[in-house]
Amino acid sequence: MLQPPNILTIAGSDSGGGAGIQADLKTVMALGGYGMSVITALTAQNGLGVRGIHAPEPEFAVLQLKTVLEGFPVAAAKTGMLFSAGIIRALAAELRTVAFPLVVDPVSVSQSGSPLLQEDAIAALREEMIPLSTLLTPNRPEAEALTGLSIRSTDDAFAAAERLIGMGAGAVLVKGGHMDSDIVVTDCLLMRGEAPKTLPQPKVDTTNNHGTGCTLSAAIATELGKGLPLQVAVVRAQEFLNRALRKSYAPGKGCGPVNHAAGR
């Protein structure tokens, strides 16, 4: 039996189960990986919104990371909600020493509109995490916040991606879910030294889209952990998310999650 790749997620916990650590671990398992976690924040959350956030001390986030790295050979990792400048800077100091691919999802706002990143943490994200990323996966609002650019088209998305690569990202995927289209969602991939690439997927008409960014970044990390080239990993992750969206449903009130069990 071929051993599954060990995939690490460094992110916040979603008590509603649709995003964050929970979505990441479901995704990793669905795609044949073994999931591990470093929890950067606890959220009191359901499909209606985020009621509260409690974050550990940065030192405890680092202890989680060090303990995982001591016990497991990690094939790839992703970051999601990092919450504070202190947590970002502490984790970045440890992540500078690793050799595995790192997907950085610069989570700043929940699907319901609640802030998941403290205001003073945006500079730390730019300075500390972006230069460590094998791939950075911002949505349109996140790319705008990180670059100061307005994004209304694929050309704008690639201009933002170019600026983010200038900040140190290895590659950038600007996600197209916030762009206006009734037919297609087009993600824009820019890899250092290569021509821009548009990667379209059919748009799924559903309000059950909680945790889409978490799911996509976890899926990319899992595919990278299998040794796949970056663009192939991104396309496979897109296909997984699209299938999970098509089979999504609402298990409770409000915005439902994607169906991770339907994504294989």
Side-chain angles (χ1 to χ4, degrees), residues 28-52:
V28 171
M29 179 168 280
L31 291 173
Y34 176 75
M36 302 163 296
S37 63
V38 170
I39 298 178
T40 57
L42 303 176
T43 68
Q45 185 175 174
N46 58 26
L48 299 172
V50 179
R51 299 285 184 85

Side-chain angles (χ1 to χ4, degrees), residues 150-200:
S150 175
I151 300 173
R152 295 294 179 270
S153 66
T154 55
D155 286 344
D156 294 341
F158 283 123
E162 188 71 53
R163 183 166 293 188
L164 291 165
I165 283 181
M167 295 178 190
V172 179
L173 183 73
V174 179
K175 296 174 290 189
H178 288 76
M179 304 289 271
D180 294 330
S181 171
D182 295 328
I183 300 171
V184 68
V185 172
T186 301
D187 296 337
C188 297
L189 177 64
L190 186 62
M191 295 183 284
R192 189 179 293 272
E194 298 195 19
K197 296 175 176 66
T198 53
L199 304 175

Side-chain angles (χ1 to χ4, degrees), residues 94-199:
E94 296 298 321
L95 289 169
R96 286 190 197 101
T97 67
V98 304
F100 49 76
L102 179 64
V103 178
V104 174
D105 186 16
V107 174
S108 57
V109 178
S110 73
Q111 194 70 248
S112 61
S114 300
L116 299 175
L117 186 69
Q118 292 182 334
E119 201 166 323
D120 65 352
I122 294 175
L125 191 64
R126 284 196 198 100
E127 296 162 9
E128 303 287 346
M129 296 305 297
I130 287 178
L132 299 180
S133 64
T134 304
L135 176 69
L136 185 71
T137 62
N139 58 30
R140 187 182 79 182
E142 291 161 350
E144 289 179 333
L146 289 168
T147 64
L149 298 176
S150 175
I151 300 173
R152 295 294 179 270
S153 66
T154 55
D155 286 344
D156 294 341
F158 283 123
E162 188 71 53
R163 183 166 293 188
L164 291 165
I165 283 181
M167 295 178 190
V172 179
L173 183 73
V174 179
K175 296 174 290 189
H178 288 76
M179 304 289 271
D180 294 330
S181 171
D182 295 328
I183 300 171
V184 68
V185 172
T186 301
D187 296 337
C188 297
L189 177 64
L190 186 62
M191 295 183 284
R192 189 179 293 272
E194 298 195 19
K197 296 175 176 66
T198 53
L199 304 175

Side-chain angles (χ1 to χ4, degrees), residues 15 48 65 97 99 102 237 241 245 251:
S15 56
L48 299 172
L65 177 58
T97 67
L102 179 64
L241 176 58
L245 278 164

